[in-house]
Amino acid sequence: MRRSSSASSVSRRANTKGESAPPAQPSFYVSMADAGTTVDAAAAASMISGYRGNNGLGAVEVDADLMRMAMDHARTMAAKDKVDHAAGREFTGQLAAAGFDGKIAVENVSAGYHTLAEAFSGWRDSPPHRANMLKGGVTRLGIAAVYAPQSKYKVFWALIMAAKNEGRG
């Protein structure tokens, strides 16, 4: 897992003349409205952890099971062209099967945001979504963005934050 000290850090590459190339675009500004792009989960965890830290809460780390669940959910919403918490699945059952405590789990779903920065800002500015990002006890997250060119929304997002059951994580 790649981790940076700051979600806004960028790297510079030297060109053949020894000059610095322009800085790469930070991953949280990359548009997800393009086939083949994927959300930078480490940047999302850093951004959300920073926000949680500013509010007296612990950090979250990327979890492979939650990443898979978030991707499945975002794909289902994109296929149905509908933002929906249910979207053909039983959330707490999936969490329990993967060893998570369903009582300490939250989910943000949305559509229309093209970048991680936009999605984060939208969630932060929405009281119910903000409450989810600031849920006490969560320690892990999964996040996905799926491009749907046929949709007026273009991009569907799913963020799942949870904690492993005691003794299972």
Side-chain angles (χ1 to χ4, degrees):
M1 179 164 78
R2 193 175 139 225
R3 185 177 176 133
S4 65
S5 61
S6 170
S8 63
S9 65
V10 293
S11 62
R12 290 185 179 266
R13 291 176 276 139
N15 65 22
T16 56
K17 296 180 183 178
E19 300 168 3
S20 292
Q25 179 172 314
S27 63
F28 50 83
Y29 291 132
V30 172
S31 177
M32 298 293 111
D34 189 18
T37 58
T38 57
V39 66
D40 183 340
S46 177
M47 187 180 287
I48 292 168
S49 291
Y51 183 60
R52 289 173 57 80
N54 288 342
N55 286 276
L57 297 166
V60 291
E61 64 185 51
V62 176
D63 183 273
D65 289 326
L66 295 179
M67 289 294 294
R68 181 187 46 76
M69 285 184 237
M71 179 57 78
D72 289 348
H73 192 66
R75 283 184 179 140
T76 300
M77 290 188 302
K80 292 182 175 189
D81 195 18
K82 182 179 180 184
V83 177
D84 185 2
H85 281 281
R89 76 200 170 115
E90 203 280 299
F91 185 59
T92 55
Q94 285 185 341
L95 287 168
F100 291 95
D101 183 345
K103 295 178 205 128
I104 307 176
V106 293
E107 174 183 62
N108 285 352
V109 295
S110 59
Y113 300 121
H114 286 204
T115 69
L116 174 58
E118 290 174 2
F120 174 81
S121 293
W123 292 334
R124 184 195 59 216
D125 295 341
S126 162
H129 293 99
R130 178 176 51 249
N132 284 348
M133 289 196 301
L134 297 177
K135 172 80 173 170
V138 299
T139 57
R140 299 178 185 215
L141 71 73
I143 188 168
V146 172
Y147 177 51
Q150 79 291 350
S151 172
K152 69 180 180 181
Y153 300 112
K154 301 298 182 207
V155 182
F156 287 81
W157 291 85
L159 167 69
I160 302 170
M161 298 172 59
K164 284 284 190 179
N165 276 326
E166 293 294 317
R168 292 193 61 182

